[in-house]
Amino acid sequence: MSAVPARFDEEVHAPLRLQLCSALLPVRSATFPALREALGVSDSVLSKHLSRLQAVGYVAIDKRAVGGRSRTSAALTEAGRVAVRGHLTALREIAAAAEAVEEPAQATILDR
């Protein structure tokens, strides 16, 4: 895996979408029930966030009939993987910069 440039991504950053993307990053795909259980959310909440990520091209949704029942799975697209990795890199850089400060500055940001 090559290094991905840091890029803060608003679509990935929402807490549940970040958890969802993090759950999908290490696997090829995950079933809807597995994601719902892993995230501890309702069907409608998971569906809403998957739809948002699908709309920006970060997630591919696969719906198929298996044994007469509909099975839904989700996978990060290559663009989604790049976006998540870039976002995680940006978060690491933000955290590292904050942790590097040993003493807070004497002035406040909003001196008026």
Side-chain angles (χ1 to χ4, degrees):
M1 173 177 70
S2 61
V4 175
R7 182 179 171 274
F8 193 87
D9 191 303
E10 290 290 336
E11 296 300 331
V12 173
H13 188 67
L16 188 62
R17 286 197 297 271
L18 183 56
Q19 289 178 292
L20 176 55
C21 289
S22 295
L24 290 171
L25 192 59
V27 298
R28 282 190 195 178
S29 68
T31 64
F32 191 93
L35 290 170
R36 182 188 60 226
E37 292 302 314
L39 300 173
V41 297
S42 67
D43 287 358
S44 62
V45 169
L46 179 56
S47 181
K48 175 185 168 188
H49 287 285
L50 283 171
S51 294
R52 178 77 178 261
L53 291 168
Q54 183 182 32
V56 296
Y58 290 175
V59 167
I61 306 294
D62 180 45
K63 294 184 180 192
R64 62 180 66 193
V66 177
R69 296 184 63 162
S70 177
R71 300 285 182 195
T72 302
S73 61
L76 285 174
T77 62
E78 188 56 35
R81 290 183 180 283
V82 169
V84 173
R85 288 187 183 120
H87 187 74
L88 292 173
T89 300
L91 291 177
R92 282 187 205 97
E93 288 179 2
I94 292 167
E99 290 172 347
V101 176
E102 293 191 25
E103 278 293 316
Q106 295 297 321
T108 59
I109 292 176
L110 297 175
D111 279 340
R112 290 187 187 209

